[in-house]
Amino acid sequence: IETMNGKDEHKLSLEKGDELKVDFKTEKGSIKMEIKSEDGTLVYSGNGKEATSFTISIKESGVYSITVEAKSGKGNIHITKK
């Protein structure tokens, strides 16, 4: 992300036992990312400043939403399904 202002959302179909490898780093401004399950349960919420590389284990099959919101945000977000 070179410069982002606003909000973007993507949907991802996942199965129980899947893992998401997340690399998330905020270099400038603010970037917030949330990952929620189909029923709205928050799986992850962060700003890319504390934990920058981690794995999320999926406990329930379904469609997950990944929402990124930024204000003058610059950084990197890479999510890989394992």
Side-chain angles (χ1 to χ4, degrees):
I1 300 171
E2 283 300 316
T3 302
M4 180 179 171
N5 286 296
K7 192 175 189 176
D8 197 11
E9 182 178 7
H10 295 276
K11 302 280 186 182
L12 188 59
S13 183
L14 298 169
E15 299 295 324
K16 181 179 180 178
D18 284 348
E19 291 185 334
L20 296 178
K21 182 177 181 331
V22 180
D23 294 304
F24 176 25
K25 183 177 180 185
T26 299
E27 297 171 7
K28 183 179 172 186
S30 69
I31 303 174
K32 181 180 178 184
M33 179 171 66
E34 290 186 344
I35 301 175
K36 291 184 181 179
S37 66
E38 201 164 14
D39 68 2
T41 301
L42 190 62
V43 176
Y44 169 80
S45 179
N47 61 12
K49 293 182 180 175
E50 288 90 30
T52 58
S53 185
F54 52 92
T55 300
I56 297 170
S57 297
I58 301 303
K59 299 188 184 338
E60 300 283 332
S61 297
V63 178
Y64 286 70
S65 63
I66 301 169
T67 305
V68 177
E69 189 168 0
K71 292 180 184 170
S72 301
K74 179 179 180 180
N76 297 301
I77 300 173
H78 295 281
I79 301 173
T80 308
K81 182 176 149 184
K82 291 169 121 184

